[in-house]
Amino acid sequence: MNADWLARSQAAVWHPCTQMQHHAQTGSPAHLPLVPIARGAGAWLYDFDGKRYLDGISSWWTNLFGHANPRINAALRDQLETLEHVMLAGFTHRPVVELSERLSALTGGALGHAFYASDGASATEIALKMSFHYWRNVGRPEKAEFLCLAGSYHGETVGALAVTDVAIFKDAYAPLVRAAAHVLPSPDFRLGEAGETPADVARRAAAGLADWLEKHGQRTAALIVEPLVQGAAGMAMYDPEYLRLARELCDRHEVHLICDEIAVGFGRTGTFFAHEQAAIRPDLMCLSKGISGGYLPLSVVLSSDTIYAAFLDDSVARAFLHSHSYTGNALACRAALATLDIFAQNDVIAANRSKTGKIAAALAPLAGHPQVRHLRQRGMIAAFDVVTDDPHFSRRFYRAALDNEALLRPIGNTVYLMPPYIVSDDEIAHLGTATRRALDLALA
Ligand SMILES: *Cc1c(COP(=O)(O)O)cnc(C)c1O
């Protein structure tokens, strides 16, 4: 069964983020196996021949409460019988209203206006356009430039690439990307010099932001950041002090702070939103990935009253004329509501605290490994870097993890665990064992 689906997929499906030739090169160190999945249940994925894989990276950071979750399934079945979709321009519906109200409440009412799209990159572009257009609407069109952090990832559409600083995604398209985003030093704690604490590194990076804004604040529209964890940079983690200082500096220089919580929102870092750990609120926030529990494509930009109000006018041209066909899709919003219900009813954030400790314990034996550096964790994300000059390390590790019943997909030489929140203690132990075995096999 498996073999048939593999051949047909390789012939007809152009897979994302993949050199398709690596799928064909069996036997080569570059080989990347294509894994056919027949069904999912809880934290596990099953192929057509009965082989299973523990989803240690939540299917690209999207899944929160397991595959085929009975409660989300039931909500979607009910929604299917009621309303699957209606255009959101000129129309509204129950799931989109309830979801917008609940997301606003989760920001303490600070971000009370929800603009929807379908994927994370679109949310980034919406936030950038909103900030830019806000400054035009309030008569300050010179504020038109953006700031992002070294190693930032905010999506891969051409507009989002302007604030993405990951060479492998950006370099080939550099001529297509507008140059107006400036890249600032990252507060990544790994950049610390001898004796520096993570908070010191954060203050040093914030000093770089302060210098830049002193000179260029007048023409800066917004700073966009991934709060606390820069995922695609290789789970680069940083101290909340950076967010506190960035908020102060953005206020002083009248610059919007955009928090891209697409990966870190919905409890991933130990609080519902990561920015809460700095006791700040952004002006705009992008959400996606976990928002629908990992079920359906849905993203949203939440904005402050101040930004929203600047678009209200008799003139249509001052409105935010942005749309996607599936904006506010009823099924996706209903999956998001079911996801929020689970958070509310199960005290998920508290339950995750004990899982966080179990994940740390599962990886602790690696702390003394001669080729492991910077073992680190923030809530339900744990990572370490592997010292090796093998250019095929990530694919070797990935194959070895699959052989040990785990889906783990390193980013370069960074191995990370980001399991769904329903993962059991035994399953965490399984992930720990698979990680240690895969590391030995990949380095052998
Ligand atoms: C995944 C991600 C995006 C892009 O979302 P897509 O749905 O893949 O377009 C943007 N920002 C961050 C921080 C992400 O992790």
Side-chain angles (χ1 to χ4, degrees):
M1 273 295 266
N2 274 349
D4 187 35
W5 290 111
L6 288 178
R8 286 168 61 184
S9 192
Q10 234 155 279
V13 182
W14 198 338
H15 291 269
C17 201
T18 300
Q19 170 51 268
M20 289 299 291
Q21 188 167 302
H22 287 161
H23 281 323
Q25 290 169 321
T26 42
S28 139
H31 178 232
L32 182 75
L34 183 60
V35 187
I37 294 301
R39 66 186 183 89
W44 293 90
L45 295 163
Y46 298 85
D47 75 7
F48 292 86
D49 295 335
K51 201 165 178 254
R52 60 176 200 162
Y53 308 96
L54 213 162
D55 190 350
I57 59 167
S58 297
S59 285
W60 260 354
W61 323 347
T62 58
N63 194 286
L64 301 188
F65 300 117
H67 298 278
N69 181 287
R71 287 156 78 179
I72 304 176
N73 285 3
L76 282 175
R77 282 198 194 95
D78 178 66
Q79 189 60 42
L80 266 176
E81 299 302 328
T82 316
L83 175 70
E84 81 300 333
H85 180 71
V86 62
M87 61 188 283
L88 201 65
F91 293 83
T92 195
H93 54 81
R94 187 173 166 168
V96 81
V97 173
E98 287 184 1
L99 180 59
S100 306
E101 290 173 351
R102 287 173 70 175
L103 290 173
S104 166
L106 284 161
T107 68
L111 303 174
H113 308 275
F115 195 101
Y116 290 89
S118 312
D119 53 56
S122 303
T124 295
E125 303 222 356
I126 288 164
L128 297 179
K129 284 176 69 178
M130 270 183 185
S131 173
F132 174 89
H133 199 164
Y134 168 89
W135 292 117
R136 274 175 61 116
N137 278 353
V138 300
R140 303 190 56 189
E142 73 283 2
K143 286 176 87 65
E145 293 181 7
F146 298 106
L147 301 176
C148 61
L149 299 180
S152 59
Y153 180 91
H154 299 289
E156 291 168 57
T157 53
V158 172
L161 276 178
V163 288
T164 287
D165 181 46
V166 179
I168 195 168
F169 298 134
K170 188 168 186 175
D171 283 1
Y173 312 104
L176 298 181
V177 177
R178 73 191 280 279
H182 177 73
V183 179
L184 291 162
S186 166
D188 179 354
F189 83 96
R190 292 173 299 177
L191 301 171
E193 286 151 21
E196 269 190 320
T197 64
D200 292 335
V201 183
R203 280 187 282 270
R204 186 151 51 82
L209 170 62
D211 285 349
W212 182 268
L213 287 177
E214 209 57 60
K215 295 190 195 89
H216 308 286
Q218 293 293 332
R219 52 185 171 84
T220 304
L223 163 69
I224 183 166
V225 298
E226 296 157 83
L228 301 187
V229 185
Q230 295 183 282
M235 301 302 153
M237 298 184 186
Y238 64 87
D239 194 277
E241 180 73 0
Y242 184 81
L243 297 174
R244 272 192 291 275
L245 294 170
R247 178 70 274 179
E248 269 176 37
L249 289 163
C250 285
D251 284 344
R252 186 176 318 153
H253 294 277
E254 295 180 289
V255 166
H256 292 139
L257 177 62
I258 304 172
C259 282
D260 173 352
E261 297 234 6
I262 290 167
V264 295
F266 295 89
R268 216 21 113 172
T269 67
T271 45
F272 194 83
F273 296 122
H275 69 256
E276 292 167 19
Q277 292 178 47
I280 59 148
R281 292 290 181 199
D283 302 291
L284 293 161
M285 175 159 62
C286 305
L287 299 171
S288 187
K289 292 202 166 109
I291 191 173
S292 66
Y295 263 67
L296 287 160
L298 179 69
S299 66
V300 61
V301 176
L302 300 180
S303 81
S304 66
D305 289 347
T306 309
I307 291 177
Y308 177 75
F311 289 82
L312 301 175
D313 195 85
D314 289 337
S315 152
V316 172
R318 286 170 64 105
F320 193 60
L321 300 184
H322 184 106
S323 62
H324 297 285
S325 309
Y326 283 101
T327 293
N329 175 262
L331 282 167
C333 289
R334 187 66 187 272
L337 287 170
T339 299
L340 291 181
D341 285 343
I342 298 175
F343 271 104
Q345 290 156 19
N346 290 26
D347 204 1
V348 172
I349 302 287
N352 280 359
R353 255 175 242 136
S354 97
K355 288 185 211 266
T356 295
K358 301 253 163 53
I359 293 170
L363 293 184
L366 288 171
H369 191 289
Q371 281 166 277
V372 168
R373 297 282 185 282
H374 297 304
L375 185 58
R376 56 193 179 274
Q377 188 170 359
R378 175 78 69 179
M380 294 295 282
I381 308 173
F384 58 87
D385 306 327
V386 178
V387 181
T388 168
D389 43 26
D390 176 4
H392 303 298
F393 169 77
S394 70
R395 284 187 290 273
R396 273 190 223 281
F397 183 98
Y398 176 68
R399 292 195 302 263
L402 290 174
D403 289 342
N404 282 280
E405 297 192 322
L407 163 49
L408 294 171
R409 200 182 142 110
I411 300 170
N413 288 358
T414 298
V415 175
Y416 69 95
L417 303 184
M418 205 198 271
Y421 305 162
I422 45 86
V423 75
S424 70
D425 291 355
D426 285 349
E427 288 163 346
I428 291 172
H430 174 96
L431 279 178
T433 308
T435 304
R436 296 193 301 272
R437 286 201 187 133
L439 186 64
D440 287 342
L441 287 166
L443 293 176

